[in-house]
Amino acid sequence: MISRRGILAAAAMSMLAAAATPSCGAGHVSLSAAAGRSSRFFGTAVRFSQLASDPAYADLIVRECSSLTPELELKWAAVEPSRGALSLTALDDIVSFARMHGKKVYGHTLLWDKSVPDWAVDSLLAGDWTYLQLYISSVVPRLSGVVDYWDVVNEPIETGQRLDGLRENVFLKGFGPDYIRRALETARTFQPTAKLLINEYGLEYDFEVEEHRRYHLLRLLERLKAASVPLDGVGLQSHLDLRKGHVSSGRIARFLDDIAQLGLEIVITELDVHEADFIADPNIRDQAVADEVRRYLDIVLQQKAVVGVSTWGLSDRYSWLDLSAEDLASYQNAWTDGTGPGLNRGLPFDADLRPKKMYRAMLEALSAG
Ligand code: XIL
């Protein structure tokens, strides 16, 4: 059900956005058009508050994306801040916006230990599935038709905790390792056709810890497939990080191949780049970001099982990787004028919504893919 308020808000925004649109040449190829050449989607995470308050940004998203991931609005803690009091307006608004502009919504995310409302923790720990079931049954059918992909379980893997590599989160503590099967089956009950995914991070580099994460995720996928659990794919968050060096092309290619061999689809769900050097000239910073993204996309887009790419935000104006107050303090001597950039430049558009080298790298990689 779509709220009337949501539709009106989206319509008003759309008009505002059109009025604020900088003209961008008749030959402009968007990231979604480039991705579409290989039948992939391109999207970004966004908050409804950004769409509502920033028409130029809303317009950029409409122009470049075919899919929108609610950054917060679908998470359990946002949907049900207090027990039984569902708060679905922000979700409905983002869905109305997407529908109005012919976009898909990427369903992020149902089970994530970092988005469990405080009030639900004790009942989960006591093995009570009722509230989780209620939340899933409230959001999943509501988004029927507009969501093709659901991140049903987010971040189930952690090393150094258990032999099976499963994260000791509140779900595991309450229900044991079987919570993953149960979550996927519950989602399937309310959504017979959309693809159901597990979404995970920390899988791109040639470090022992990331090798272990790849290993444990693959074993989990194998177990679920062997048990005929309704799992259709894997989301790879892909938060690249220049502090870690370069992504390992060889490891990634093999890992993706192993996933594809299981008959699973792959989505790049949260691509962005954490910078290592915030003091260098912006051109140098942007080149380092772009090179890394190109290296990564050139590998993943060779894999046919990769069906879509989303970034975690489109512009540095709204990056979740902005420097913290502590980071800023540690850099304070680097800027003589006292202002300092303070922004992480790891998204395709800068804070003024101008395309950066990362945008160009993505466009080229997606066009070639
Ligand atoms: C992040 C949001 O961007 C933040 O605003 C919020 O405070 C925490 O969640 N992996 C995920 C996303 O799967 O849901 C996270 O989003 C970023 C890391």
Side-chain angles (χ1 to χ4, degrees):
M1 226 219 298
I2 306 298
S3 76
R4 188 173 146 69
R5 192 178 87 78
I7 292 178
L8 292 176
M13 279 180 309
S14 168
M15 283 186 283
L16 277 173
T21 308
S23 73
C24 59
H28 177 79
V29 177
S30 66
L31 293 170
S32 60
R37 288 179 183 163
S38 52
S39 305
R40 294 178 166 117
F41 66 83
F42 174 77
T44 189
V46 65
R47 301 180 186 192
F48 183 73
S49 57
Q50 294 159 0
L51 295 173
S53 64
D54 191 339
Y57 189 54
D59 182 59
L60 185 70
I61 288 185
V62 168
R63 191 182 80 197
E64 297 295 335
C65 299
S66 50
S67 166
L68 307 185
T69 305
E71 184 180 352
L72 305 173
E73 290 82 351
L74 239 176
K75 291 170 177 167
W76 191 7
V79 166
E80 199 174 359
S82 49
R83 179 172 304 186
L86 294 184
S87 157
L88 294 162
T89 315
L91 177 61
D92 287 346
D93 285 345
I94 207 164
V95 171
S96 309
F97 182 90
R99 285 192 201 270
M100 176 156 296
H101 293 283
K103 313 294 180 190
K104 289 292 183 177
V105 172
Y106 186 91
H108 178 83
T109 174
L110 298 177
L111 271 73
W112 186 29
D113 58 329
K114 292 204 174 73
S115 65
V116 172
D118 289 345
W119 60 262
V121 171
D122 286 345
S123 58
L124 289 174
L125 288 175
D128 184 351
W129 191 262
T130 329
Y131 296 107
L132 198 46
Q133 176 100 8
L134 209 72
Y135 155 64
I136 294 174
S137 68
S138 304
V139 294
V140 172
R142 198 177 186 91
L143 271 57
S144 202
V146 74
V147 169
D148 291 339
Y149 292 89
W150 278 101
D151 285 342
V152 177
V153 180
N154 198 29
E155 304 182 351
I157 300 294
E158 188 53 293
T159 56
Q161 296 186 337
R162 295 163 48 95
L163 285 176
D164 62 6
L166 291 185
R167 180 182 291 275
E168 279 182 354
N169 59 24
V170 64
F171 308 109
L172 188 111
K173 288 180 186 151
F175 309 99
D178 196 43
Y179 85 87
I180 298 175
R181 175 196 62 80
R182 201 163 169 186
L184 288 158
E185 286 181 354
T186 304
R188 179 55 82 225
T189 312
F190 297 107
Q191 179 39 256
T193 53
K195 309 279 174 153
L196 306 181
L197 275 64
I198 289 176
N199 192 43
E200 191 50 89
Y201 74 92
L203 303 159
E204 296 81 23
Y205 294 87
D206 192 5
F207 299 135
E208 195 176 44
V209 62
E210 302 216 357
E211 186 64 7
H212 287 171
R213 297 178 64 82
R214 288 188 286 271
Y215 174 85
H216 286 305
L217 180 55
L218 282 170
R219 299 293 86 75
L220 171 64
L221 302 176
E222 281 168 5
R223 290 196 298 277
L224 294 170
K225 289 306 280 180
S228 300
V229 172
L231 174 72
D232 303 297
V234 181
L236 306 176
Q237 291 188 8
S238 312
H239 295 292
L240 308 185
D241 192 336
L242 296 177
R243 297 169 304 182
K244 295 184 183 174
H246 295 313
V247 294
S248 170
S249 302
R251 301 274 176 191
I252 293 168
R254 225 185 85 192
F255 178 56
L256 298 192
D257 205 48
D258 287 344
I259 297 174
Q261 295 289 327
L262 291 169
L264 294 167
E265 293 187 8
I266 300 167
V267 182
I268 307 304
T269 51
E270 305 185 14
L271 179 65
D272 59 9
V273 185
H274 196 299
E275 291 184 272
D277 184 354
F278 292 89
I279 300 170
D281 179 273
N283 267 314
I284 294 172
R285 291 169 62 182
D286 289 354
Q287 192 65 53
V289 166
D291 288 348
E292 199 57 20
V293 165
R294 186 69 201 257
R295 196 172 289 119
Y296 185 63
L297 286 183
D298 279 350
I299 291 300
V300 301
L301 295 173
Q302 273 177 32
Q303 173 54 249
K304 294 280 176 283
V306 173
V307 294
V309 175
S310 286
T311 51
W312 203 248
L314 205 55
S315 152
D316 298 335
R317 187 180 285 186
Y318 299 116
S319 172
W320 76 302
L321 297 174
D322 281 354
L323 292 184
S324 65
E326 298 81 53
D327 284 343
L328 274 175
S330 75
Y331 285 112
Q332 65 190 357
N333 295 330
W335 294 299
T336 47
D337 64 0
T339 56
L343 293 174
N344 188 79
R345 298 180 67 88
L347 289 170
F349 291 84
D350 72 9
D352 295 321
L353 308 185
R354 287 178 305 226
K356 294 184 302 176
K357 295 174 198 291
M358 176 174 169
Y359 174 81
R360 177 89 1 232
M362 293 182 65
L363 199 64
E364 285 172 9
L366 287 166
S367 302

